């Protein structure tokens, strides 16, 4: 297990009672290179060290990653004062490509979470402030529900506790093995 993953697992464990520790920021860029950053929910870490996020194929995020699958993740744990920054390559996985993965992520959602994917196309005008209607059967995975699998290329870890602070750089070598180096914060 890479050192950065060991640290991340500890950070998640130490902050498991804090709901905000499940959220991180992901930055993408549109075809003109304009950056976009949004907060997403961490949905898991695969055996091969990929971060999982759920999404909707009708969103700007999906479109941006379709045009440029490189993205950046910033994840800060306030309780432990640790920051992880990941350079990633995103893969968008639909139920056509990997039905087991997509259906498993869908089943983990609450009914309220599932219904959010059936409110209509994200970003379109809303007619009024009344309750949003569910359009479809939320017991079935909608075609536009997808999983983003973020393949981590390198990790910049910073622990802000102590003086001096502690920072590490993690990347894969030519044999695809993770190597780590302490660096000046």
């Amino acid at each position: 297990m890479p050192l950065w993953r060991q640290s991340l697992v500890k950070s998640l464990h130490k902050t498991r009672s804090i709901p905000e520790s499940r959220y991180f920021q992901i930055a993408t860029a549109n075809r003109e290179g304009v950056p976009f950053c949004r907060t997403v929910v961490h949905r898991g870490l695969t055996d091969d060290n990929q971060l999982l996020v759920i999404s909707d194929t009708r969103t700007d995020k999906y479109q941006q990653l379709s045009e440029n699958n490189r993205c950046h993740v910033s994840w800060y744990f306030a309780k432990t004062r640790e920051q992880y920054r990941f350079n990633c390559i995103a893969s968008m996985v639909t139920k056509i490509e990997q039905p087991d993965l997509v259906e498993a992520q869908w089943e983990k959602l609450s009914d309220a979470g599932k219904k959010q994917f059936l409110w209509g196309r994200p970003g379109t005008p809303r007619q009024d402030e009344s309750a949003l209607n569910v359009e479809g059967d939320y017991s079935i995975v909608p075609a536009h529900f997808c999983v983003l699998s973020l393949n981590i290329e390198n990790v910049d870890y910073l622990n802000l506790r102590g003086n001096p602070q502690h920072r590490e750089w993690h990347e894969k070598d030519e044999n695809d093995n993770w190597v780590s180096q302490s660096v000046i914060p």
Side-chain angles (χ1 to χ4, degrees), residues 25-68:
Q25 286 64 49
I26 182 171
T28 59
N30 68 10
R31 71 170 50 113
E32 290 82 31
V34 176
F36 290 84
C37 188
R38 74 269 292 156
T39 302
V40 295
V41 180
H42 169 63
R43 300 292 179 172
L45 189 59
T46 66
D47 291 342
D48 59 349
N49 303 312
Q50 295 190 36
L51 294 169
L52 298 178
V53 176
I54 60 172
S55 190
D56 188 316
T57 62
R58 304 170 299 172
T59 62
D60 291 340
K61 172 178 50 198
Y62 182 88
Q63 181 64 38
Q64 291 159 7
L65 288 170
S66 295
E67 294 168 358
N68 178 359

Side-chain angles (χ1 to χ4, degrees), residues 17 29 31 34 41 61 81-82 109 125 151-152 169 182:
S17 64
R31 71 170 50 113
V34 176
V41 180
K61 172 178 50 198
R81 298 187 60 208
E82 294 170 290
L109 293 175
N151 185 22
I152 299 167
W169 179 256
S182 291

Side-chain angles (χ1 to χ4, degrees), residues 15-132:
T15 62
R16 66 188 176 280
S17 64
I18 304 168
E20 294 81 17
S21 68
R22 295 188 318 255
Y23 301 103
F24 59 77
Q25 286 64 49
I26 182 171
T28 59
N30 68 10
R31 71 170 50 113
E32 290 82 31
V34 176
F36 290 84
C37 188
R38 74 269 292 156
T39 302
V40 295
V41 180
H42 169 63
R43 300 292 179 172
L45 189 59
T46 66
D47 291 342
D48 59 349
N49 303 312
Q50 295 190 36
L51 294 169
L52 298 178
V53 176
I54 60 172
S55 190
D56 188 316
T57 62
R58 304 170 299 172
T59 62
D60 291 340
K61 172 178 50 198
Y62 182 88
Q63 181 64 38
Q64 291 159 7
L65 288 170
S66 295
E67 294 168 358
N68 178 359
N69 65 349
R70 300 189 68 74
C71 60
H72 191 82
V73 166
S74 181
W75 199 347
Y76 182 68
F77 294 87
K79 180 178 179 180
T80 60
R81 298 187 60 208
E82 294 170 290
Q83 176 180 263
Y84 297 83
R85 294 186 305 151
F86 304 95
N87 284 314
C88 303
I89 296 178
S91 297
M92 286 80 68
V93 182
T94 65
K95 66 181 182 179
I96 293 170
E97 291 122 7
Q98 292 186 39
D100 292 345
L101 172 64
V102 173
E103 289 174 16
Q105 289 296 320
W106 181 256
E107 289 307 314
K108 289 179 183 179
L109 293 175
S110 66
D111 287 349
K114 292 175 182 176
K115 290 177 183 179
Q116 291 177 13
F117 284 89
L118 301 172
W119 285 341
R121 182 174 290 281
T124 57
R126 191 169 171 180
Q127 301 307 315
D128 56 38
E129 293 302 313
S130 61
L132 293 169

Side-chain angles (χ1 to χ4, degrees), residues 147-159:
V147 175
L148 302 180
S149 182
L150 307 177
N151 185 22
I152 299 167
E153 293 191 308
N154 55 57
V155 181
D156 189 355
Y157 167 79
L158 177 62
N159 187 325

